[in-house]
Amino acid sequence: MASSLICSRTQSRVSSVLNRDVKQYGKKFMFDCNEETCWNSDQGDCQWVLLEFPQPVNVSKVKLQFQGGFSAKTCRLE
């Protein structure tokens, strides 16, 4: 089983937060291991997440989980 590359020194940025309500929907909820919370973007095209790791990493798998009833039409990994 692969372990997560996300650590306390991993920096993240997101395109938006729903209604700018970071207390309920902020990026900190993406990796808190709680299925009751999540990052929630505002509406619009091209929502994105940027991760900056503290050292070089080898990524072997990316897992995305969308909130019930929602999904992306297109995803792009760069």
Side-chain angles (χ1 to χ4, degrees), residues 3-56:
S3 62
S4 176
L5 298 173
I6 306 299
C7 70
S8 62
R9 295 183 333 229
T10 302
Q11 295 182 6
S12 61
R13 292 180 56 209
V14 294
S15 54
S16 65
V17 175
L18 182 63
N19 299 325
R20 296 184 178 156
D21 187 352
V22 296
K23 288 185 179 182
Q24 265 191 305
Y25 305 115
K27 65 183 180 178
K28 65 184 175 185
F29 298 115
M30 276 192 286
F31 308 112
D32 67 353
C33 298
N34 181 351
E35 292 203 11
E36 300 297 317
T37 62
C38 63
W39 163 60
N40 200 328
S41 66
D42 226 332
Q43 295 184 31
D45 291 337
C46 298
Q47 299 300 318
W48 51 263
V49 175
L50 173 69
L51 299 175
E52 292 186 47
F53 298 98
Q55 70 279 331

